[in-house]
Amino acid sequence: MADRPTGHWATVADLDASSVVDFQHSPRRHRLAMALAVLGAAALLAYYTVVFDEVWWQVLLRFGMIGAITALTTNWQLRRQPRLPLRLTDETLHLAGPNGTRLSIDWVNMASAQVRGRLDPRLVVKPLDPEQTRPPMRPGQWSTPGRGPYELVVRLASMTPRPDALRRELARRLPAG
């Protein structure tokens, strides 16, 4: 490697070794997102009570129940989806599934893989041949209602490194087509 001034670090592009990138859940980012959500909800609650002249605890009960039902429904729908951590190697995308299961899809067997969304980013993956994944996928095994039977959606909220790094890695690793 070329000589660098003191304090400068090598970048990923400088390394000649096999490039493995792990994407993990970040508890720190999760706590920050939850704190911001609570502060935003408190501000909305205060605004609503002032504008509509209602008692704060009645508003909290009404909208808290709606929020709890929405959260439970979302959690139920997402229970079969893959989740973090993700591992990208030169040959394969490794996903962590529900109940500690693992799924590996080779890059040459990838119909599409893209990161969608900014506020609630998700990785959407479709294999070309579900029988060539390890282990072979069954229809609807990890998909949610309203999705294709082999479409995988991984929620990327509170991920480290950021979703933009995953976008760059996918662009670099996916076969041109």
Side-chain angles (χ1 to χ4, degrees), residues 105-113 125-133 137 150-152 174-175 177:
I105 306 171
D106 293 332
W107 294 114
V108 295
N109 187 28
M110 196 77 63
S112 68
V125 178
K126 292 180 193 173
L128 284 172
D129 183 5
E131 292 295 317
Q132 297 299 317
T133 63
M137 291 176 61
Y150 298 107
E151 187 174 39
L152 305 170
L174 284 171

Side-chain angles (χ1 to χ4, degrees), residues 34-50 56 59-60:
M34 291 298 107
L36 290 174
V38 167
L39 289 174
L44 285 173
L45 175 70
Y47 177 78
Y48 191 91
T49 57
V50 168
W56 69 269
V59 176
L60 183 63

Side-chain angles (χ1 to χ4, degrees), residues 59-72:
V59 176
L60 183 63
L61 282 176
R62 182 181 323 125
F63 291 114
M65 183 64 70
I66 292 169
I69 290 170
T70 302
L72 288 173

Side-chain angles (χ1 to χ4, degrees), residues 135-148:
M137 291 176 61
R138 295 184 313 270
Q141 180 180 9
W142 287 5
S143 63
T144 55
R147 298 272 182 189

Side-chain angles (χ1 to χ4, degrees), residues 81-141:
Q81 288 184 343
R83 43 186 63 91
L84 294 172
L86 296 171
R87 173 171 270 198
L88 283 65
T89 66
D90 287 334
E91 299 84 22
T92 309
L93 168 68
H94 300 278
L95 300 166
N99 304 325
T101 58
R102 301 263 184 229
L103 180 70
S104 298
I105 306 171
D106 293 332
W107 294 114
V108 295
N109 187 28
M110 196 77 63
S112 68
Q114 54 186 210
V115 178
R116 295 182 186 164
R118 288 282 175 191
L119 290 177
D120 188 19
R122 289 175 159 84
L123 172 64
V124 181
V125 178
K126 292 180 193 173
L128 284 172
D129 183 5
E131 292 295 317
Q132 297 299 317
T133 63
R134 291 175 306 279
M137 291 176 61
R138 295 184 313 270
Q141 180 180 9

